[in-house]
């Protein structure tokens, strides 16, 4: 049995989660139904950068949503902002996600250290 949502929030009864994509730090933040019922409301600011969330930009995930439906909602939000979706889809295998993250961090370290094949970060004049 699901707990009822607080009245006055104008959310669907079959809500599973509310997803915010911060327009400043580009973080994805998901708040489940339990968060909404326990706090009695929706979050107001990004936990990473404290930028206020634009409530009209939230993506509501309901029980009937499919993966394709959620991707369409996300694509619509990014199009509304005049931006393209991030190019790297999430793999099914959790180990592959970890490998991608490690590879990205290694690339960033190489760039920051100023490897031979990358310009690196220039400090000072």
């Amino acid at each position: 049995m699901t707990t009822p949502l607080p009245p006055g929030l104008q959310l669907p009864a079959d809500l599973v989660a509310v997803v915010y994509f911060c327009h400043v730090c580009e973080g994805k933040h998901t708040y489940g139904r339990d968060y909404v019922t326990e706090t009695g409301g929706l979050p107001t600011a990004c936990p990473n950068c404290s930028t206020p969330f634009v409530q009209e930009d939230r993506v509501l995930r309901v029980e009937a949503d499919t993966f394709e439906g959620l991707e369409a909602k996300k694509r619509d939000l990014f199009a509304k902002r005049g931006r393209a979706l991030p190019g790297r889809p999430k793999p099914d295998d959790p180990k592959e996600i970890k490998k991608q993250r490690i590879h990205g961090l290694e690339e960033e370290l190489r760039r920051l250290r100023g490897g031979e094949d990358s310009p690196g970060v220039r400090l000072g004049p």
Side-chain angles (χ1 to χ4, degrees):
M1 181 174 160
T2 58
T3 55
L5 291 167
L9 288 181
Q10 309 268 337
L11 296 171
D14 61 344
L15 179 76
V16 174
V18 180
V19 183
Y20 293 93
F21 295 91
C22 181
H23 60 278
V24 175
C25 72
E26 299 182 3
K28 175 185 175 186
H29 308 288
T30 304
Y31 299 90
R33 180 185 187 93
D34 291 341
Y35 174 89
V36 175
T37 55
E38 288 174 14
T39 62
L42 295 168
T44 57
C46 175
N48 289 344
C49 65
S50 301
T51 302
F53 284 135
V54 178
Q55 293 299 324
E56 294 78 28
D57 282 359
R58 65 183 178 231
V59 174
L60 301 178
R61 181 175 174 209
V62 295
E63 292 173 3
D65 276 336
T66 62
F67 176 77
E68 292 79 18
L70 287 172
E71 285 297 307
K73 289 179 183 181
K74 186 174 160 183
R75 192 173 37 256
D76 291 345
L77 171 63
F78 277 73
K80 177 180 165 184
R81 292 180 178 175
R83 299 184 50 216
L85 278 176
R88 185 173 63 185
K90 182 177 176 183
D92 292 332
D93 183 13
K95 291 180 183 177
E96 186 60 33
I97 296 170
K98 185 177 178 181
K99 286 179 188 176
Q100 284 181 356
R101 179 78 174 129
I102 290 170
H103 178 73
L105 291 172
E106 287 171 345
E107 289 293 317
E108 185 175 350
L109 275 172
R110 203 172 4 265
R111 184 177 46 82
L112 291 172
R113 288 184 178 143
E116 296 123 26
D117 60 342
S118 88
V121 177
R122 182 175 177 185
L123 302 175

